Amino acid sequence: MKIEIPTMTPQNSNLARELFLLLVLATLWGSSYSFIKIGVETIPPITLIAARTLIAGGILLAVLHHRRVRLPRDRATWRRFFVQACLNSVVPFTLIAWAEQSVDAGLAVILNSATPIFTFLLAVLITRHEQVTLRRLFGVMAGLAGICLVIGVEALNGLGENLIAQLAIILATICYAGAAIFSKNFKGLDPAVPAAGSLISGAAILLPMSFVVDRPWELDPSAASMLALLALSAFSTALAFVIYFRLVQTLGSVGTTAQAYLRVPIGVAIGIVFLGERLSPTAWIGLVCVIAGVAAMTIPARTGATQARNA
């Protein structure tokens, strides 16, 4: 009897790389809520997000210049950049920063983790470019169930407090879902190009608002807020956006937003390693559900041709 040892095919290697990038993206965006919480302690939300988009856009411009990649100059592409900026940075970034003045970062993560749900619904009802399968439905439900188990039902007790701020985070979540779908318009572009273009567009929108509303030259931000702003801009925005636009093209919009499920378990892991926290048995089950949900929504199904070949 001959035993065949599985080999690493290019397809498997590529999938492993994309799933690793999904984990990196979840870590970068998962940490952004803590950075925002520290930042808004002494920097008003509009100014914080205006600086975030400006610094991150500047970093990406420097990267593109070093790689000798030019931004498009046609008006149609820049109109799409401005739409993407509103959906993926201007509106959601500002809403979340404003909300985190009164809402805990952990609760913001929970509310924002519903992004795949709204992406799936928008894709099904409007664009219809995502295939509806039982596996996708299972992934959505397993992910949400996992988050509830990881955090615990008690964590949701604060949903009735600060209702307007919490609704603002839900609105930001819907914007992210729309951004994931709209990102398909940038297929074929270097991932850093729409990331830089949308961030520059976002800064162009937010900077004038910051000057009028916050008068930033009169602010006295703390060192902690400034460091949080720099980390938020360089890692959780500039680097994360490049990864995000790449994954939208390789894993699809719903698959990419599945990283939202990973934000909470990553935060739990940080608590275990650095803060000595302990996980309950239900939390461990939740982690399994999260992993199952992400796998169900990101691993591509076998095609009919492949099935026929293996029959």
Side-chain angles (χ1 to χ4, degrees), residues 121-200:
L121 292 175
L122 289 176
V124 170
L125 298 176
I126 300 177
T127 65
R128 300 182 181 180
H129 74 268
E130 292 285 355
Q131 184 180 4
V132 181
T133 64
L134 289 177
R135 191 174 66 169
R136 287 277 177 90
L137 292 173
F138 165 78
V140 170
M141 299 309 297
L144 286 180
I147 288 174
C148 292
L149 289 169
V150 169
I151 297 300
V153 178
E154 296 81 4
L156 300 178
N157 289 337
L159 283 175
E161 304 170 0
N162 305 314
L163 181 60
I164 295 178
Q166 292 160 10
L167 290 176
I169 298 175
I170 293 296
L171 180 57
T173 302
I174 297 173
C175 288
Y176 282 140
I181 294 174
F182 191 79
S183 296
K184 287 288 187 178
N185 290 308
F186 303 113
K187 189 173 184 179
L189 291 177
D190 185 294
V193 170
S198 63
L199 286 170
I200 293 169

Side-chain angles (χ1 to χ4, degrees), residues 278-293:
R278 297 177 61 185
L279 277 182
S280 65
T282 55
W284 286 112
I285 299 173
L287 285 174
V288 174
C289 290
V290 168
I291 295 172

